[in-house]
Amino acid sequence: MRRATLLPQPTARLRFDWWENIDQTLARTLWSNDKVTKFIGGPFNEAQIVARLSEQCKNRSEHGVQYWPIFRNECNSFVGCCGLRPRTDNPRTFNMGFHLVQEHWGQRLATEAGTSVIAHAFEPLGADAIFMGHRPG
């Protein structure tokens, strides 16, 4: 599998970035929110958020992926993150997910970001498969 240093392609309403390039308080806004993190073990405290950010940076360094922060094109508003995490059972497969700030729920932004991330996983990353699940409320 090729390691990409590129971001997923922007969409009609969204653009992607690397966590290393943005204000880290945005991660705190996202992952300390009890509604956003309800099904992923949150809300997270400061130490847990720092650990999550560290994991994202490690995934970028080692695999060229992360749960990329996403922003609205027209106003640069922080939407959340969407991306890939390498699976341990096969280096050519990824888990995909997204976490959106509550004010952006219900606008089909997860679908829009996810479509770009899926395309990115298969080309340029050359993934064999992508896995995704959810934890219903």
Side-chain angles (χ1 to χ4, degrees):
M1 174 173 44
R2 294 172 291 187
R3 223 175 75 194
T5 57
L6 302 173
L7 293 164
Q9 290 295 308
T11 69
R13 298 182 291 169
L14 302 171
R15 70 172 180 82
F16 296 82
D17 207 333
W18 297 103
W19 280 111
E20 296 87 341
N21 296 342
I22 68 161
D23 182 353
Q24 304 298 295
T25 59
L26 296 175
R28 290 167 184 81
T29 300
L30 182 67
W31 290 323
S32 67
N33 183 293
D34 60 333
K35 291 181 180 171
V36 171
T37 60
K38 180 178 180 179
F39 300 114
I40 61 170
F44 300 106
N45 64 34
E46 181 67 18
Q48 292 169 313
I49 291 168
V50 168
R52 290 181 81 81
L53 286 169
S54 178
E55 178 185 10
Q56 296 305 317
C57 295
K58 180 181 175 191
N59 284 340
R60 177 187 184 182
S61 173
E62 294 179 2
H63 305 283
V65 299
Q66 60 183 217
Y67 275 39
W68 295 281
I70 49 179
F71 298 85
R72 295 291 296 252
N73 289 330
E74 76 281 356
C75 61
N76 207 36
S77 175
F78 178 63
V79 173
C81 61
C82 178
L84 303 167
R85 184 177 66 230
R87 291 176 58 101
T88 56
D89 58 338
N90 180 342
R92 294 181 57 89
T93 62
F94 295 95
N95 288 323
M96 180 182 149
F98 34 80
H99 312 143
L100 299 185
V101 176
Q102 192 174 0
E103 67 190 65
H104 294 288
W105 291 0
Q107 300 173 39
R108 301 191 50 82
L109 296 173
T111 300
E112 190 171 322
T115 300
S116 181
V117 167
I118 289 168
H120 186 75
F122 290 110
E123 182 61 43
L125 293 178
D128 287 337
I130 299 170
F131 291 85
M132 187 170 188
H134 76 289
R135 299 180 183 120

